[in-house]
Amino acid sequence: MALEELVQRLNAVFQCTEEIMHQDIIPLCAADIEDQLKKQFAYLSGGRGEDGCPVITFPDYPAFSEIPEKEFQNVLTYLTSIPSLQDAGIGFILVIDRRQDKWTSVKASILRIAASFPGNLQLVLVLRPTGFIHRTLSDLTFKFNRDEFKMKIIMLGSVTELHGYIDKTQLTEDLGGTLDYCHNRWLSHRTAIESFALMVKQTAQMLQSFGTELAETELPNDVQSTSSLLAAHSEKKDKMKEDLRLALKQGRDILESNRKPVTENPDYKLSQDQLDNQTTVERLLAQLDETEIAFDEFWAKHQQKLEQCVQLRNFEQTFREVKAALSLVSERLSAFTDVGNSCSHVEHILKDLANFEEKSCESLEKARVLASQGDQLVQNNHYAVDSILPKCNELHHLCDAFATETEKRRGLLNKSLELHSLLEKSMRWCDEGIYLLASQPVDKCQSQDGAESALQEIEKFLDMGGNNKIKEPNKVYQLYEPILNQDLMEHVQKVFQKQESMEEMFQKRQVSLKKLAAKQTRPVQPVAPRPEVFVKSPSVSPGLRRGSNYVSNTEDNMLRRMNYRRLKSEMSEIRQSRGGSVMDDEENLAVLRSHVINELIETERAYVEELLCVLEGYAAEMENPLMMHLISPGLLNKKDILFGNMEEIYHFHNRIFLKELENYIEYPELVGRCFLERMEDFQIYEKYCQNKPRSESLWRQFSDSAFFQECQRKLDHKLSLDSYLLKPVQRITKYQLLLKEMLKYSKNCEGAEDLQEALTSILGILKAVNDSMHQIAITGYDGNLNELGKLLMQGSFSVWTDHKKGHSKVKDLARFKPMQRHLFLHEKAVLFCKKREENGEGYEKAPSYSYKHSLNMTAVGITENAKGDSKKFEIWYNAREEVYIIQAPTPEIKATWVNEIRKVLTSQLQACREASQHRTLEQTYSLPVPASTCTSPSRNQGRTVKLEERKTDPTSPEGCVTSVAPKYPEKGKASPTSPDKKAKRHEVKSDPTPFGLRGWAKTSHSLDASEENDGWSSAEDPLNSSDAEEEEGEGGGEMKLTPGKYTVVTDYDKGGSEDLAVKSGDLVQLIREGEDRLWYVKNLSTGKEGLVPANNLLMLIGNSKSAQSLSSSESGTGCSTLSSSSSYNESCNAGSTSF
């Protein structure tokens, strides 16, 4: 219903209420003059005359004259306004009861009424006073003054006469009638009716105002405002409905009260006024019902419009969101332009597309649902059809366009997958062909049968591989034109070229094999000699025999020359055929190198993709708010523990290493340089591997988490996350295998040395990673392991102890019962730990190492062979105060450890020597004194110089350093391990002077040797003391010189033309002794040769027999020792190393 119809209905209500109350003419209500009406000097009883005229009664009221004019006028005005206009138009009948009054009062009352009566008077009936005088006086006076009253007045002497004019049923009981009238009840009914009419009018006005407000309200443009407006209007509507309900209730109560007398007494007849009141109330109630119906209809339409507005705003808002989502989805879909560079890459893109399509389904479903809702709104005759319908069509179009574009992308990717599959089939076919050519043994192909067999293999391979060939590139370009880009076209061209190259190789091989298969072995045509030449009689004389031999030799020479020509021809052919085979082998190696580099790059790409997949599919999802409800509390903020530095590894391989590898695809033999340039970057794997135990432990705790399962489902991975977390460990170990393969096929190529160095470096990294995994398991060490320098070696050994200090029983027990210890060799110390196996699984089962003690490398010495066991060696400390006998699992491991310890000690020695030489500003050397005086304690100040000597014996099973110094078979010489020698072993102190100063005059300054060392030091050298004892045992005090290699301990430059100049540290070889005790010596460091006197040699290489201490196999121990002894005061004054 429109607002006009509602207003029309409400105007009818207004008109009805105004007719009831006559407020347009007389704006009075009973409630306004209730006190005046209660005086009852006039009342409307409800009686009617014969023609229906309303009867107003003026009862006997003594104080009538005292009534104020205003009150009198209000009461008369109100009473005359109650009857209907029709009844009031007929005229009123006034009944004035003055039976108890005086005539003068009667006259005054009549005149006052006549002057103030507002209505139309039909008849005035006056009951004159009952007293004789007053009655007579009234009759006479009335006759003479009739014209003065200007109205029809009938003077009545009794009520009986009154009944002649008005039926007594229309008169109240005080006038002799039977009309039931109660003034208070009448007043109450009038007040209620008027109040009800007023309520109806006010309600109608509010409805009209509310309707106008609703009609004029502008609809908001957002959902929230529209919903708020609908709620506000609904609240006002409910209030309007409540007012209507109260008005209706009040009207029904009034109607029921008016009908009560009839209800109580069926014979009771309502007066006309009561009937009019009942009609009035019924009419108002009917108007209210019609108004309520009209308002409900109007509200229903308004509410529908508001609800449709809310629907429209919701639709528009959701449309904007869905359109934005579809735009984003379309934008992401448009990013799927890559057609891939391999089958695996295309499959990965297809999987990504499928995952993207799955994730986009939600947005598409929202769009379809919204379009369906819009269509439903249109079908429901929504007022904004013109706005909704275009949006629905746009949504349908976007969904269809997305589906079409997705199918198009999928079709292109499937076509790309088909092309890459074709290319990879061709590549595999080429590789298989190359392997076939490489696998055919050249020597077997030289025979006819072997050549035919190889030829059949080739023909069979070519026949079976026809489907794998790219026959015409132009057709391929035409067929796959939609997906071809520059890179893909180049790839197709390369594959085709490789195929052509392979086919050309096959053709060459076929030609060669056909030649070999067709070549027939040429029969030998021996020249038959003369019969007499070969007839040899056993009784031939020597002269005849010689003649026969001469003839036979001549013929044989001729035969040999003929056979030589034939063999030369055949060998030439064989060399030609083999030359082709060598060329084929070179081509095969090139192909194999190409295969290895392709495998390296392809696996590198796959590795990078797998890392990216893990980082995006798992690591990034751990910070996705939509996935937070699936993450266990124990996993929160644990991403760095679970994934370690995988992101750093990914960026290195994706941004740097993969791109650099691709630069070597045409030069695979040089790929070692790529590894060498980036070798430092591979150190990031050490950090990853060190974190792997923590990552594995965390994974084992939460492997069943719903978060990991959901991520795996989205990625469509068959393997769980832990398999991908192992990828970096597997990858770093894969490189050394590929480098070995590449080195295998690049022996004679330019980059072979780089490949070997790269392989060694990668293996070193693997070793460092492995060692670091053990190092982080050390427990109980109070210091900082990093301060011990680089970890060089680690391994498990059996250890015996043999210390000077301690109870003899303990020493004996330790000597026979080995301890199982895990040794960690650092640059500055060696740590002894006890290995403890832990319970658990996976990385939790990794062992830990309980720290026991450590040895400072500045005071450590080694004995390479201990107690005749090839797997044992000694580590001793502080001049053998502590001796540890180490047994390695194998001789090779022992040799590796000994060599590594030797390097550490030698580097320390070199560092001390450089420090000493740096502090020695000027040194002046005199000619060496005789050997007998050199050993004088007063000249040497009790100091000896230790000798360095090295020679690697390739036949030594340990692969360690052995000495070529001469053995002493003379009788009477004490064994190095004899008791008397042991008693004196520790008498000779280590030499605190710098190298090269022993036995020479010092003109610039002398060095003080501190008796107490500031740092780790060795006060004794058992090896040198035993050597000194050997000199004393010989009694000569002079060391015999024998051919061998020695290290010079001091500079020597005689200045003669034939003399040899040497410097401290040079390695010299004593070749032979000449006349006058001159030795022919070769300086291996400079390559020069010359003569050196024997006594000078003794000073150059040392007067002690330390030069012979490396190989004392005759002594029965077969040990060689290396010690590092240092004596420090303010700085490193001296350092010595002795074998």
Side-chain angles (χ1 to χ4, degrees):
M1 176 181 290
L3 178 63
E4 292 76 9
E5 298 180 14
L6 177 63
V7 172
Q8 186 177 356
R9 295 274 182 93
L10 293 175
N11 288 335
V13 175
F14 294 151
Q15 184 177 359
C16 178
T17 56
E18 288 174 357
E19 289 177 0
I20 294 171
M21 302 180 67
H22 302 290
Q23 287 192 353
D24 54 339
I25 303 173
I26 307 169
L28 287 175
C29 296
D32 298 335
I33 58 173
E34 184 175 2
D35 294 337
Q36 301 170 21
L37 291 173
K38 284 182 178 180
K39 293 180 180 180
Q40 201 176 348
F41 61 83
Y43 61 86
L44 187 66
S45 64
R48 292 289 188 271
E50 291 180 357
D51 53 359
C53 297
V55 177
I56 295 177
T57 303
F58 288 88
D60 187 14
Y61 190 78
F64 184 81
S65 60
E66 299 176 1
I67 297 174
E69 185 62 28
K70 181 65 176 177
E71 293 182 6
F72 184 76
Q73 187 67 36
N74 288 341
V75 170
L76 290 182
T77 303
Y78 177 73
L79 291 178
T80 55
S81 67
I82 293 175
S84 63
L85 294 178
Q86 182 180 359
D87 293 342
I90 298 175
F92 289 90
I93 297 176
L94 301 183
V95 177
I96 302 174
D97 185 7
R98 291 293 182 265
R99 288 176 292 177
Q100 304 298 328
D101 204 352
K102 298 177 181 180
W103 166 247
T104 54
S105 298
V106 171
K107 180 181 178 181
S109 298
I110 293 173
L111 291 174
R112 186 177 184 181
I113 292 171
S116 301
F117 192 79
N120 184 19
L121 282 176
Q122 186 180 15
L123 180 64
V124 178
L125 300 175
V126 181
L127 290 174
R128 62 179 181 271
T130 56
F132 176 76
I133 296 173
H134 291 287
R135 182 177 62 187
T136 303
L137 182 60
S138 61
D139 290 339
L140 293 172
T141 305
F142 178 73
K143 288 178 181 181
F144 290 106
N145 299 320
R146 181 185 298 272
D147 296 334
E148 185 180 354
F149 295 112
K150 297 180 181 181
M151 56 183 178
K152 185 179 181 180
I153 300 175
I154 299 175
M155 301 295 292
L156 301 176
S158 64
V159 293
T160 303
E161 293 178 5
L162 179 60
H163 294 163
Y165 291 95
I166 301 173
D167 190 88
K168 63 179 183 179
T169 57
Q170 301 299 319
L171 296 172
T172 58
E173 293 179 356
D174 57 341
L175 296 178
T178 59
L179 180 64
D180 181 24
Y181 175 76
C182 175
H183 188 69
N184 291 332
R185 182 178 63 190
W186 174 87
L187 183 60
S188 175
H189 283 176
R190 285 306 303 174
T191 304
I193 291 172
E194 290 176 359
S195 176
F196 174 59
L198 182 62
M199 177 182 286
V200 170
K201 183 177 181 181
Q202 291 174 348
T203 301
Q205 290 175 345
M206 286 189 297
L207 289 176
Q208 183 177 7
S209 175
F210 182 54
T212 303
E213 179 186 352
L214 297 184
E216 295 177 353
T217 300
E218 293 184 3
L219 299 179
N221 293 325
D222 59 286
V223 177
Q224 183 64 33
S225 299
T226 307
S227 300
S228 300
L229 181 63
L230 178 60
H233 285 186
S234 298
E235 184 178 357
K236 289 185 178 181
K237 184 266 299 184
D238 293 337
K239 188 176 183 306
M240 294 290 108
K241 291 288 289 183
E242 180 65 20
D243 292 341
L244 281 172
R245 186 186 66 79
L246 292 176
L248 289 171
K249 181 179 181 302
Q250 185 176 354
R252 293 189 183 98
D253 291 342
I254 294 173
L255 190 61
E256 184 179 356
S257 175
N258 196 51
R259 292 174 178 175
K260 186 176 181 181
V262 179
T263 304
E264 294 176 354
N265 183 10
D267 296 334
Y268 183 84
K269 291 184 179 180
L270 295 174
S271 66
Q272 186 61 41
D273 284 349
Q274 290 176 331
L275 291 175
D276 291 343
N277 289 339
Q278 179 175 334
T279 303
T280 299
V281 173
E282 289 176 348
R283 184 180 175 185
L284 288 173
L285 288 174
Q287 291 290 342
L288 278 179
D289 288 335
E290 292 179 3
T291 302
E292 183 178 17
I293 293 172
F295 177 74
D296 288 342
E297 292 178 359
F298 175 77
W299 170 254
K301 290 187 176 181
H302 180 73
Q303 183 182 25
Q304 181 184 12
K305 187 174 182 179
L306 284 179
E307 288 176 349
Q308 287 182 349
C309 181
V310 173
Q311 293 172 350
L312 177 63
R313 300 300 178 246
N314 276 318
F315 176 82
E316 290 174 344
Q317 179 177 341
T318 309
F319 173 78
R320 288 191 293 269
E321 295 173 356
V322 169
K323 187 177 179 181
L326 289 179
S327 299
L328 181 61
V329 165
S330 300
E331 182 180 351
R332 291 180 178 176
L333 179 62
S334 62
F336 280 86
T337 56
D338 193 359
V339 294
N341 51 26
S342 64
C343 282
S344 61
H345 190 194
V346 177
E347 289 173 353
H348 184 72
I349 297 176
L350 280 170
K351 187 181 296 184
D352 289 345
L353 181 61
N355 292 335
F356 168 73
E357 190 175 7
E358 182 180 354
K359 293 179 181 178
S360 304
C361 283
E362 184 178 355
S363 299
L364 292 175
E365 185 62 26
K366 286 183 179 179
R368 294 190 181 96
V369 170
L370 184 62
S372 177
Q373 292 175 355
D375 294 337
Q376 188 65 38
L377 292 177
V378 172
Q379 293 177 5
N380 293 338
N381 297 321
H382 195 282
Y383 73 87
V385 173
D386 295 339
S387 175
I388 297 174
L389 192 57
K391 292 180 173 62
C392 292
N393 295 334
E394 185 176 358
L395 288 174
H396 288 302
H397 173 71
L398 289 175
C399 291
D400 294 341
F402 177 81
T404 303
E405 186 64 20
T406 303
E407 288 301 321
K408 179 182 177 182
R409 298 288 179 186
R410 185 180 290 106
L412 292 176
L413 288 173
N414 286 328
K415 212 161 188 62
S416 176
L417 181 62
E418 180 181 342
L419 176 58
H420 282 293
S421 299
L422 177 62
L423 295 176
E424 289 187 4
K425 283 182 181 179
S426 178
M427 291 284 286
R428 282 196 299 270
W429 182 65
C430 293
D431 292 342
E432 290 171 359
I434 293 168
Y435 275 118
L436 174 62
L437 295 178
S439 62
Q440 289 182 341
V442 178
D443 53 347
K444 292 184 180 180
C445 293
Q446 302 305 319
S447 65
Q448 182 176 3
D449 293 340
E452 290 178 351
S453 176
L455 194 60
Q456 290 176 1
E457 288 182 357
I458 292 176
E459 292 175 351
K460 182 179 179 182
F461 177 80
L462 293 175
D463 292 339
M464 295 178 62
N467 295 330
N468 299 324
K469 294 174 58 178
I470 299 177
K471 298 179 181 178
E472 296 183 16
N474 292 333
K475 288 187 177 180
V476 173
Y477 295 153
Q478 184 177 359
L479 182 61
Y480 298 101
E481 182 181 1
I483 63 170
L484 285 178
N485 52 31
Q486 187 63 31
D487 293 338
L488 198 51
M489 292 178 67
E490 291 178 358
H491 185 44
V492 173
Q493 190 64 31
K494 287 181 180 179
V495 173
F496 184 70
Q497 290 175 356
K498 182 177 181 179
Q499 179 181 296
E500 287 184 332
S501 300
M502 191 272 295
E503 290 178 340
E504 184 178 355
M505 291 170 61
F506 267 82
Q507 291 174 2
K508 291 181 180 180
R509 180 63 62 87
Q510 282 178 313
V511 171
S512 300
L513 291 175
K514 286 179 180 179
K515 288 181 180 180
L516 292 173
K519 182 170 63 178
Q520 302 294 328
T521 304
R522 188 180 307 168
V524 179
Q525 301 291 336
V527 178
R530 296 179 183 178
E532 61 274 13
V533 173
F534 291 95
V535 175
K536 296 181 181 180
S537 173
S539 58
V540 176
S541 64
L544 180 60
R545 187 178 295 116
R546 284 194 297 270
S548 300
N549 287 339
Y550 173 78
V551 174
S552 176
N553 289 337
T554 303
E555 297 295 331
D556 287 343
N557 290 336
M558 294 177 61
L559 180 59
R560 278 197 297 270
R561 284 195 295 270
M562 293 176 62
N563 290 338
Y564 173 75
R565 296 189 186 99
R566 179 178 60 81
L567 291 173
K568 184 177 180 180
S569 175
E570 291 183 359
M571 288 301 295
S572 176
E573 294 181 4
I574 291 175
R575 277 196 297 271
Q576 290 179 2
S577 63
R578 289 189 176 178
S581 300
V582 169
M583 292 178 62
D584 291 344
D585 291 342
E586 289 299 326
E587 292 179 356
N588 293 344
L589 290 175
V591 171
L592 293 174
R593 290 194 296 270
S594 176
H595 177 76
V596 175
I597 193 67
N598 286 333
E599 181 182 358
L600 175 60
I601 294 175
E602 289 299 325
T603 53
E604 185 73 12
R605 288 171 181 162
Y607 174 57
V608 169
E609 290 176 3
E610 288 172 344
L611 291 181
L612 178 62
C613 190
V614 171
L615 291 174
E616 290 184 347
Y618 286 97
E621 290 296 310
M622 291 186 73
E623 298 177 352
N624 185 356
L626 300 179
M627 298 287 285
M628 283 297 178
H629 65 285
L630 299 177
I631 301 179
S632 304
L635 269 178
L636 294 175
N637 303 321
K638 296 291 181 64
K639 185 176 77 170
D640 292 339
I641 296 178
L642 185 61
F643 298 97
N645 61 330
M646 180 181 285
E647 185 174 358
E648 182 183 6
I649 293 174
Y650 165 73
H651 288 313
F652 164 64
H653 286 272
N654 182 51
R655 297 174 180 174
I656 301 175
F657 194 60
L658 176 58
K659 295 180 180 178
E660 292 185 358
L661 280 180
E662 291 173 343
N663 294 334
Y664 288 89
I665 192 168
E666 299 295 336
Y667 312 99
E669 65 276 3
L670 303 180
V671 76
R673 299 176 184 175
C674 181
F675 281 89
L676 292 176
E677 290 173 357
R678 294 298 172 186
M679 198 55 65
E680 291 185 2
D681 294 317
F682 281 102
Q683 302 295 331
I684 57 179
Y685 279 90
E686 185 172 343
K687 179 180 178 181
Y688 185 85
C689 293
Q690 289 178 355
N691 180 69
K692 197 68 176 69
R694 300 174 63 201
S695 173
E696 176 73 11
S697 177
L698 185 63
W699 164 255
R700 291 184 60 82
Q701 294 180 41
F702 301 101
S703 58
D704 296 332
S705 172
F707 169 76
F708 293 127
Q709 296 176 2
E710 177 64 16
C711 291
Q712 183 177 350
R713 185 192 66 80
K714 288 184 177 180
L715 294 172
D716 195 21
H717 282 176
K718 295 181 180 179
L719 300 177
S720 55
L721 174 61
D722 57 329
S723 300
Y724 291 91
L725 294 177
L726 196 60
K727 293 292 183 181
V729 181
Q730 295 172 339
R731 187 60 184 171
I732 191 64
T733 57
K734 177 73 172 176
Y735 288 129
Q736 53 103 4
L737 299 176
L738 293 171
L739 286 173
K740 285 180 180 177
E741 285 293 311
M742 184 64 75
L743 183 61
K744 177 181 176 183
Y745 304 133
S746 309
K747 292 292 186 181
N748 301 321
C749 295
E750 177 186 351
E753 293 181 1
D754 291 338
L755 286 170
Q756 182 61 56
E757 186 178 352
L759 175 60
T760 303
S761 299
I762 284 290
L763 292 174
I765 287 178
L766 292 178
K767 177 183 177 299
V769 169
N770 183 57
D771 291 345
S772 67
M773 295 293 289
H774 290 274
Q775 183 181 6
I776 63 175
I778 297 177
T779 60
Y781 184 75
D782 294 335
N784 187 355
L785 290 174
N786 294 329
E787 295 178 356
L788 301 181
K790 182 180 179 182
L791 177 62
L792 304 174
M793 302 282 288
Q794 56 83 25
S796 296
F797 300 89
S798 297
V799 179
W800 290 264
T801 59
D802 187 6
H803 301 342
K804 284 183 179 181
K805 299 178 182 180
H807 198 276
S808 59
K809 290 185 178 180
V810 177
K811 294 168 64 177
D812 295 338
L813 179 62
R815 189 173 296 155
F816 293 103
K817 185 178 181 180
M819 298 177 292
Q820 299 302 317
R821 290 290 182 262
H822 201 90
L823 272 61
F824 293 87
L825 176 62
H826 293 76
E827 291 176 328
K828 298 181 180 180
V830 57
L831 272 61
F832 289 77
C833 301
K834 184 175 182 180
K835 185 177 181 180
R836 300 185 185 276
E837 296 288 347
E838 300 291 342
N839 296 325
E841 298 181 8
Y843 282 96
E844 295 179 359
K845 198 176 181 181
S848 64
Y849 302 98
S850 178
Y851 169 76
K852 294 301 182 183
H853 64 279
S854 60
L855 303 178
N856 194 318
M857 292 301 294
T858 59
V860 164
I862 62 167
T863 303
E864 296 189 17
N865 295 313
K867 300 189 177 182
D869 191 337
S870 62
K871 295 186 292 185
K872 289 182 180 179
F873 64 98
E874 289 183 353
I875 297 179
W876 42 269
Y877 192 65
N878 276 351
R880 301 188 69 87
E881 286 185 0
E882 301 178 18
V883 178
Y884 300 89
I885 302 172
I886 314 296
Q887 182 179 23
T890 64
E892 291 76 13
I893 294 178
K894 169 212 164 179
T896 305
W897 272 75
V898 168
N899 289 336
E900 197 64 38
I901 295 174
R902 181 190 298 113
K903 291 178 183 178
V904 175
L905 299 180
T906 304
S907 64
Q908 291 181 354
L909 172 65
Q910 185 66 26
C912 289
R913 176 183 297 167
E914 292 174 357
S916 175
Q917 292 178 353
H918 179 71
R919 290 178 60 85
T920 305
L921 301 177
E922 294 181 358
Q923 298 283 343
T924 305
Y925 306 107
S926 61
L927 290 175
V929 298
S932 60
T933 61
C934 289
T935 58
S936 172
S938 62
R939 289 292 299 270
N940 290 326
Q941 300 178 1
R943 294 174 293 191
T944 62
V945 177
K946 301 173 186 178
L947 178 67
E948 284 186 344
E949 179 180 351
R950 302 180 186 179
K951 182 173 179 63
T952 303
D953 184 4
T955 63
S956 173
E958 297 87 350
C960 59
V961 174
T962 59
S963 173
V964 295
K967 301 182 177 66
Y968 295 91
E970 291 87 347
K971 295 181 180 179
K973 178 184 175 182
S975 172
T977 57
S978 61
D980 59 332
K981 191 168 186 176
K982 286 184 179 179
K984 299 180 181 180
R985 176 177 292 272
H986 302 291
E987 292 179 357
V988 182
K989 303 294 183 180
S990 60
D991 185 3
T993 60
F995 288 94
L997 301 183
R998 178 178 180 273
W1000 299 87
K1002 296 184 275 280
T1003 60
S1004 60
H1005 66 277
S1006 62
L1007 299 175
D1008 296 331
S1010 176
E1011 290 296 326
E1012 293 186 10
N1013 301 323
D1014 295 335
W1016 295 101
S1017 65
S1018 175
E1020 310 170 45
D1021 191 341
L1023 183 61
N1024 289 339
S1025 63
S1026 62
D1027 294 338
E1029 190 177 42
E1030 288 178 3
E1031 291 181 5
E1032 294 174 3
E1034 291 174 2
E1038 183 177 318
M1039 183 180 69
K1040 284 188 177 182
L1041 295 175
T1042 57
K1045 295 181 180 180
Y1046 300 86
T1047 300
V1048 178
V1049 297
T1050 185
D1051 295 344
Y1052 173 74
D1053 187 0
K1054 187 65 175 177
S1057 59
E1058 295 182 356
D1059 291 339
L1060 178 66
V1062 295
K1063 293 183 180 180
S1064 175
D1066 286 351
L1067 182 65
V1068 297
Q1069 183 176 7
L1070 275 62
I1071 299 177
R1072 65 180 178 273
E1073 184 179 10
E1075 298 178 355
D1076 300 329
R1077 298 192 66 191
L1078 291 176
W1079 277 84
Y1080 189 72
V1081 180
K1082 181 177 182 180
N1083 189 341
L1084 298 179
S1085 300
T1086 61
K1088 297 181 179 180
E1089 300 175 352
L1091 297 174
V1092 180
N1095 60 343
N1096 290 351
L1097 281 177
L1098 291 175
M1099 298 303 300
L1100 291 174
I1101 63 177
N1103 197 23
S1104 67
K1105 292 186 178 181
S1106 58
Q1108 286 80 25
S1109 64
L1110 275 175
S1111 60
S1112 300
S1113 57
E1114 293 177 31
S1115 66
T1117 61
C1119 67
S1120 57
T1121 64
L1122 172 65
S1123 68
S1124 175
S1125 304
S1126 306
S1127 178
Y1128 301 92
N1129 42 29
E1130 294 180 357
S1131 62
C1132 182
N1133 290 330
S1136 63
T1137 300
S1138 66
F1139 290 96

